[in-house]
Amino acid sequence: MSIDLGVTGDFHVHLRDGKMMELIAPTVREGGVSIAYIMPNLVPPITTIDRVVQYKNELQALAPKTTFLMTLYLSKELTPELIHEAAKLKAIAGVKCYPAGVTTNSSAGVDPNDFSDFYPIFKALEEENLVLNLHGEKPSTDKDGEEIHVLNAEPEFLPALKKLHSDFPNLKIVLEHCTTKAAIDTINEINQDNKGPIKVAASITAHHLSLIVDNWAGNPINFCKPVAKLPQDRKALVAAATSGNPWFFFGSDSAPHPLHAKQVHVGVCAGVYTQALAIPYIAQVFDKQGKLDKLKGFVSDFGKQFYEIKEEDLVSKDHTILVRKEQQVPDVVSQGDLKVAPFKAGEKLDFSIEWKSIN
Amino acid sequence: MSIDLGVTGDFHVHLRDGKMMELIAPTVREGGVSIAYIMPNLVPPITTIDRVVQYKNELQALAPKTTFLMTLYLSKELTPELIHEAAKLKAIAGVKCYPAGVTTNSSAGVDPNDFSDFYPIFKALEEENLVLNLHGEKPSTDKDGEEIHVLNAEPEFLPALKKLHSDFPNLKIVLEHCTTKAAIDTINEINQDNKGPIKVAASITAHHLSLIVDNWAGNPINFCKPVAKLPQDRKALVAAATSGNPWFFFGSDSAPHPLHAKQVHVGVCAGVYTQALAIPYIAQVFDKQGKLDKLKGFVSDFGKQFYEIKEEDLVSKDHTILVRKEQQVPDVVSQGDLKVAPFKAGEKLDFSIEWKSIN
């Protein structure tokens, strides 16, 4: 058995910088992914054109056959002029919005209770047909009567998403790494009666198709933000990913951390590293549902359609071929002293990938 | 400011064995606790009179001024004859029931979906006026339509508690370490119209009065079973503990693990170690509620009433005196190579305890 998945894309990727970048950037292709949409939450975050261009060049040198789509980090340092300039230079595909404090390197983020300071930026993005990528969680608070915690942080964010869409109906928005049935339902509702191009889409990770709260309780390797939720949420995510609805596509949110940052009794870093086996992880889930026929849409077609990626934007037109060939997930991925534990470390997967050269 | 708390009790204590026991047993008294109700989940579990007597002797040698109440581990090795014999010898105060697989050293436990195999044991306990201590969680399952996970495991157990009470109306039962509003509501309902002695009580830990899901997400030091739940659950626990209702009393479920067993990326041991500062942790919560006047009932009177502890059962009649005197929680408690991280490691507490000798 083999399936030609065409030119695949992962529309939510953390490749970090420095030694971690050197270790991880090449694993995008190892995982069967051709196009990688790169997150800007370095330290400090990427907020200038110079820096995003430099970062892309560094990544390209490490992974010459991967097509990198770049983003800026939404913050007060961005201006509408900068967005227009970045669009003209084709330096970015979108801007990533992190609510302050919700995940790794998000301390420079924004207050999702009031986006109005950023409306000029959103207007510029809308005008340029660039994408707004939302980390859709409200920050935790125990303020009486409006308690936000890791389990309701995403549902409580959804009204802000709907308001943004209503205020900027032509702005392309992605609700990143959905984890709840509530989020899936909202994205379906928004798209239900839409006859035109998709304006509000959602990305879904590999790990959230497999995990629930029990899996990260006591297993920091599976701890990420947003946290994996309940069985009914996972079921809704799997149904959405395998639905063939083009407003759901793959974004791994693969987020490597050094192993020692996972092996601590306080302050475990949030993030699951899935990059090196991205497509096999997902194939496993689709196969279990008897939905391998829907895999190409999810990991290849729908993301490219939403981002309007053209043939000439690709640095390689190679196809990813999924083959039913067992492989074992390594316990760690490492280079020198740097070790990263991959998702499902030590477990067996039923699928592998091969590359088909297209010239 | 000082409050005489009388002869205090902690009605849910893990003291382990071997080197851990040597380190932890003396900290019962350090934490301001006079009476300790000891859990039997050693490896292998304690299921014989010889072993429980031997274990008590070991503990008593390490902590001569602590009154130890002992338990057996509910399993197929127990018989009604053994219960009657243990009662005659005053070797135990109760029997602890662990659903199989829900927490540390519970693999020898029972199936809470069907307690009927153990009805002869429960009948013997009822006849002897001994206590059944329940770890009130259903084991996790993703069976379609009846998904049990760490967040609903306790609420889903409550019907089994009600059935037990209905089948053995004179059996004294404790729902241990309540973590949900649902559990608190159930215990209140059962006791609401009761005019006689309390038959169904609940213990509440120190850490569950402070924690919610956000606090153990990414912090293995705070990971325990049952897991801490939502803000509304914590609020219900604090209200119950400070209510003055005598069917709620203190059981710390203090559960030490070697630090290295908390600093892993998979398979973190479940348990929070609170023993050495048990009373100060709780005083902190009661004080914040302006309910220090209810503290003696919770940590001293109600547990002793329920267990019908008499003066002559006490190895020491010393009183615990709570004083408002700041202290810092150490980063670790250690002896040689063995290190344990205490709850709120490195934080400041407003209270300390002193002992008042009573002869």
Side-chain angles (χ1 to χ4, degrees):
Chain A
M1 186 232 73
S2 79
I3 300 176
D4 187 334
L5 298 172
V7 177
T8 58
D10 176 349
F11 290 91
H12 191 122
V13 170
H14 295 274
L15 294 182
R16 314 301 193 199
D17 52 9
K19 290 208 175 304
M20 184 64 92
M21 173 179 72
E22 289 170 26
L23 173 61
I24 300 302
T27 69
V28 173
R29 192 164 168 94
E30 288 171 27
V33 166
S34 197
I35 304 164
Y37 192 87
I38 305 300
M39 293 296 119
N41 62 330
L42 304 185
V43 182
I46 297 183
T47 55
T48 67
I49 294 173
D50 280 358
R51 205 141 169 264
V52 79
V53 169
Q54 183 201 349
Y55 187 35
K56 183 176 181 175
N57 290 341
E58 288 172 10
L59 294 172
Q60 201 70 74
L62 289 165
K65 298 191 108 181
T66 299
T67 298
F68 292 104
L69 303 177
M70 307 305 290
T71 59
L72 292 174
Y73 189 114
L74 184 64
S75 75
K76 291 191 172 147
E77 296 172 48
L78 301 194
T79 61
E81 294 69 36
L82 185 146
I83 299 298
H84 292 303
E85 178 71 9
K88 203 171 79 182
L89 297 169
K90 298 195 172 186
I92 61 168
V95 165
K96 175 71 185 290
C97 168
Y98 287 96
V102 296
T103 189
T104 304
N105 302 341
S106 65
S107 56
V110 308
D111 177 1
N113 296 306
D114 184 9
F115 278 132
S116 57
D117 281 357
F118 297 97
Y119 271 31
I121 304 289
F122 300 158
K123 184 159 174 291
L125 290 173
E126 189 176 48
E127 288 166 2
E128 298 291 357
N129 196 33
L130 292 172
V131 172
L132 177 64
N133 304 95
L134 294 176
H135 181 120
E137 288 193 296
K138 281 214 175 178
S140 289
T141 168
D142 62 356
K143 215 171 115 184
D144 218 19
E146 50 172 287
E147 290 95 349
I148 308 290
H149 45 77
V150 294
L151 296 167
N152 71 357
E154 183 176 279
E156 293 287 335
F157 180 85
L158 297 171
L161 168 69
K162 288 196 246 187
K163 176 159 169 45
L164 267 183
H165 175 50
S166 151
D167 290 349
F168 296 93
N170 289 311
L171 174 61
K172 292 207 287 188
I173 300 175
V174 182
L175 182 68
E176 299 291 339
H177 44 55
C178 290
T179 60
T180 57
K181 182 174 186 300
I184 295 296
D185 290 347
T186 294
I187 300 296
N188 275 327
E189 275 162 32
I190 290 172
N191 285 286
Q192 199 156 25
D193 302 319
N194 176 33
K195 303 282 180 248
I198 294 164
K199 294 300 178 188
V200 180
S203 67
I204 299 175
T205 75
H207 55 283
H208 288 121
L209 294 175
S210 294
L211 300 176
I212 63 164
V213 55
D214 285 46
N215 303 112
W216 58 266
N219 292 302
I221 190 176
N222 292 332
F223 170 58
C224 59
K225 297 293 291 296
V227 298
K229 308 292 192 307
L230 305 186
Q232 57 265 38
D233 295 305
R234 179 178 56 187
K235 198 177 292 182
L237 295 174
V238 171
T242 59
S243 66
N245 286 327
W247 46 86
F248 294 118
F249 49 76
F250 177 47
S252 69
D253 192 18
S254 172
H257 289 284
L259 185 55
H260 62 76
K262 285 288 194 183
Q263 294 175 324
V264 288
H265 65 295
V266 289
V268 174
C269 285
V272 175
Y273 173 63
T274 50
Q275 206 69 61
L277 291 154
I279 302 293
Y281 289 131
I282 295 179
Q284 196 87 10
V285 175
F286 277 61
D287 185 42
K288 199 177 160 198
Q289 303 295 315
K291 292 282 179 76
L292 278 177
D293 59 311
K294 303 288 190 190
L295 185 60
K296 182 166 179 286
F298 183 69
V299 301
S300 187
D301 301 335
F302 304 151
K304 285 186 296 186
Q305 286 163 20
F306 179 81
Y307 282 97
E308 300 173 56
I309 296 167
K310 301 182 193 73
E311 283 254 321
E312 64 259 34
D313 300 329
L314 302 174
V315 301
S316 162
K317 298 181 182 64
D318 291 356
H319 286 198
T320 300
I321 312 296
L322 182 76
V323 293
R324 191 180 291 275
K325 187 178 148 194
E326 194 177 275
Q327 64 173 319
Q328 186 160 355
V329 183
D331 288 325
V332 289
V333 174
S334 66
Q335 193 170 60
D337 289 344
L338 181 59
K339 292 189 173 80
V340 177
F343 183 50
K344 292 183 184 286
E347 296 184 28
K348 284 212 165 67
L349 298 177
D350 295 331
F351 295 92
S352 300
I353 66 101
E354 293 171 357
W355 286 95
K356 181 178 161 189
S357 285
I358 308 280
N359 296 308
Chain B
M1 185 231 74
S2 78
I3 299 177
D4 186 334
L5 297 172
V7 177
T8 58
D10 176 348
F11 289 91
H12 191 124
V13 170
H14 294 274
L15 294 181
R16 314 304 192 197
D17 52 8
K19 290 210 176 301
M20 184 64 92
M21 172 180 73
E22 290 170 26
L23 174 60
I24 300 302
T27 70
V28 173
R29 192 164 168 94
E30 289 171 27
V33 167
S34 197
I35 304 166
Y37 192 87
I38 304 300
M39 292 297 120
N41 62 331
L42 303 185
V43 182
I46 297 184
T47 55
T48 66
I49 293 174
D50 280 358
R51 203 137 173 268
V52 80
V53 168
Q54 184 201 349
Y55 187 35
K56 183 177 180 176
N57 290 340
E58 289 172 12
L59 294 172
Q60 199 71 72
L62 290 165
K65 297 191 107 179
T66 299
T67 298
F68 292 103
L69 302 178
M70 307 305 290
T71 58
L72 292 172
Y73 190 112
L74 184 65
S75 75
K76 292 192 171 145
E77 295 170 48
L78 300 195
T79 61
E81 294 69 36
L82 185 146
I83 299 298
H84 292 302
E85 178 72 12
K88 203 171 78 183
L89 297 169
K90 297 195 173 189
I92 62 169
V95 165
K96 176 70 186 288
C97 169
Y98 288 95
V102 296
T103 189
T104 303
N105 303 343
S106 65
S107 57
V110 309
D111 177 359
N113 296 306
D114 184 8
F115 278 132
S116 57
D117 281 357
F118 296 98
Y119 270 31
I121 304 288
F122 300 159
K123 185 158 173 291
L125 290 173
E126 190 177 46
E127 287 167 2
E128 298 291 357
N129 196 34
L130 293 171
V131 172
L132 177 64
N133 305 95
L134 294 176
H135 181 120
E137 288 193 296
K138 279 213 176 180
S140 289
T141 169
D142 62 356
K143 217 171 115 185
D144 219 17
E146 49 173 288
E147 290 95 348
I148 308 290
H149 45 77
V150 293
L151 295 166
N152 71 357
E154 183 176 279
E156 294 286 335
F157 180 86
L158 296 172
L161 168 68
K162 288 195 245 186
K163 178 161 166 45
L164 266 184
H165 175 51
S166 150
D167 290 350
F168 296 92
N170 289 311
L171 174 60
K172 293 207 288 191
I173 300 175
V174 181
L175 183 67
E176 299 290 339
H177 44 55
C178 289
T179 60
T180 57
K181 181 173 186 302
I184 296 297
D185 289 348
T186 294
I187 300 297
N188 275 327
E189 276 162 33
I190 289 173
N191 284 287
Q192 200 155 24
D193 302 318
N194 177 31
K195 303 282 180 247
I198 294 164
K199 295 301 179 187
V200 180
S203 67
I204 299 176
T205 74
H207 54 283
H208 288 121
L209 294 175
S210 294
L211 301 175
I212 63 164
V213 55
D214 285 47
N215 303 112
W216 57 266
N219 293 302
I221 190 175
N222 292 332
F223 170 59
C224 59
K225 297 293 289 296
V227 300
K229 308 291 192 306
L230 304 186
Q232 58 265 39
D233 295 305
R234 181 178 53 187
K235 198 176 292 181
L237 295 174
V238 170
T242 59
S243 66
N245 286 327
W247 46 86
F248 295 118
F249 50 76
F250 177 47
S252 70
D253 193 17
S254 172
H257 289 286
L259 185 55
H260 62 76
K262 284 287 191 184
Q263 294 175 325
V264 288
H265 65 295
V266 290
V268 174
C269 284
V272 175
Y273 172 63
T274 50
Q275 205 69 61
L277 292 154
I279 302 294
Y281 288 132
I282 295 180
Q284 195 87 10
V285 175
F286 276 61
D287 185 43
K288 199 177 159 197
Q289 302 296 315
K291 292 282 178 78
L292 279 178
D293 59 312
K294 302 286 188 191
L295 185 61
K296 182 165 180 284
F298 184 66
V299 301
S300 187
D301 302 333
F302 304 152
K304 285 186 295 184
Q305 286 163 20
F306 180 81
Y307 282 97
E308 301 172 54
I309 295 168
K310 301 180 194 73
E311 283 253 321
E312 64 259 34
D313 300 331
L314 302 174
V315 302
S316 162
K317 298 182 181 62
D318 290 356
H319 285 199
T320 300
I321 311 296
L322 183 76
V323 292
R324 192 180 289 275
K325 185 179 151 195
E326 195 176 275
Q327 63 173 320
Q328 186 159 354
V329 182
D331 287 328
V332 288
V333 173
S334 66
Q335 192 169 62
D337 289 346
L338 181 59
K339 292 187 173 79
V340 177
F343 183 50
K344 293 184 182 286
E347 295 183 30
K348 283 212 166 69
L349 299 178
D350 296 330
F351 295 92
S352 300
I353 66 100
E354 294 171 356
W355 286 95
K356 179 177 160 191
S357 283
I358 308 281
N359 295 309

